[in-house]
Amino acid sequence: MQHQDGGTAGDPTLRRVMLKISGEALMGDQGYGLHPPTVERIAREVQSVHEMGVEICMVIGGGNIFRGLQGSAQGMERTTADYMGMLATVMNALAMQGAMESLGIHTRVISAIPMDQVCEPYIRRRAVRHLEKKRVVIFAAGTGNPYFTTDTAATLRASEMSCEAIFKGTKVDGVYDRDPMKYPDARRYDRITYDEVLQKHLKVMDASAIALARENGLPIIVFSLDAPGGFRSILAGEGTYTRVED
């Protein structure tokens, strides 16, 4: 088990972080869609970190909704399909907002595509102010542009919000040299550089997101979102994870 330098419970090592999760993380054991108990469980993980005084941004992918539409999207031009995926992220963000607010946490959904009836448009200063007021901010609709993934959107927003790290929640407790679900002898990295991730084609984030994180000196912390208390334990200076940095 790897321990991060410094920090004890209640004294988080980081003050503002970005949590990036896939849309698939919200669907539980279902093939697609939202699984309310799973959404609530993740909301409670975020709540446990929020209670430490950490300012939290989130970006959620849209795969749980859009994967189910991909059959109908075949033959569709990439731009249209990407916009459909962006709308799926808004649906997930609203679901997470509902779960967070049911726990008493003030949450704002901020969309890169204006849709004033359901969420706020992206204005950087306003988003920063929400964080300063200890609201959880969920950034939806990616970057607002086709051809960019939600990984890139998370890295972009984390840079704009001056986050100190990106937390990538996955099904495994870090980055491995090969798929640990298929290979029991797969080796987990405690630390790895951005360049090694790119050279070894490790599936942490897409290449443009990794490059953007490297340019802005944003460490990426890959951890298991399925492990109860995993998010909080890392911020308390404990836990098992992989840290990607220079």
Side-chain angles (χ1 to χ4, degrees), residues 179-187:
D179 188 347
M181 301 291 191
K182 296 178 182 175
Y183 303 98
D185 61 341
R187 186 171 67 89

Side-chain angles (χ1 to χ4, degrees), residues 90 94 109 111 113-123 126:
V90 176
L94 293 172
V109 174
S111 171
I113 299 173
M115 46 185 84
D116 296 344
Q117 283 82 356
V118 293
C119 48
E120 296 180 15
Y122 176 69
I123 298 170
R126 183 186 291 175

Side-chain angles (χ1 to χ4, degrees), residues 114-167:
M115 46 185 84
D116 296 344
Q117 283 82 356
V118 293
C119 48
E120 296 180 15
Y122 176 69
I123 298 170
R124 180 183 167 277
R125 287 178 180 273
R126 183 186 291 175
V128 170
R129 188 76 181 118
H130 286 319
L131 291 169
E132 290 170 350
K133 290 181 177 178
K134 304 303 181 187
R135 295 165 181 157
V136 172
V137 176
I138 307 175
F139 293 105
T143 65
N145 301 292
Y147 297 97
F148 290 93
T149 65
T150 50
D151 280 345
T152 302
T155 311
L156 174 65
R157 296 295 185 233
S159 301
E160 291 178 305
M161 295 297 107
S162 301
C163 291
E164 295 164 283
I166 300 171
F167 281 70

Side-chain angles (χ1 to χ4, degrees), residues 162-192:
S162 301
C163 291
E164 295 164 283
I166 300 171
F167 281 70
K168 176 77 183 281
T170 68
K171 292 186 178 297
V172 293
D173 59 357
V175 180
Y176 285 76
D177 57 356
R178 50 185 178 163
D179 188 347
M181 301 291 191
K182 296 178 182 175
Y183 303 98
D185 61 341
R187 186 171 67 89
R188 183 178 63 81
Y189 299 100
D190 279 349
R191 291 176 184 264
I192 190 168

Side-chain angles (χ1 to χ4, degrees), residues 18 20 149-152 154-155 166-168 197-198 202-210 213 220:
M18 166 65 74
K20 167 63 172 68
T149 65
T150 50
D151 280 345
T152 302
T155 311
I166 300 171
F167 281 70
K168 176 77 183 281
V197 168
L198 293 172
L202 300 172
K203 293 179 180 178
V204 177
M205 287 180 157
D206 64 80
S208 56
I210 294 291
I220 302 167

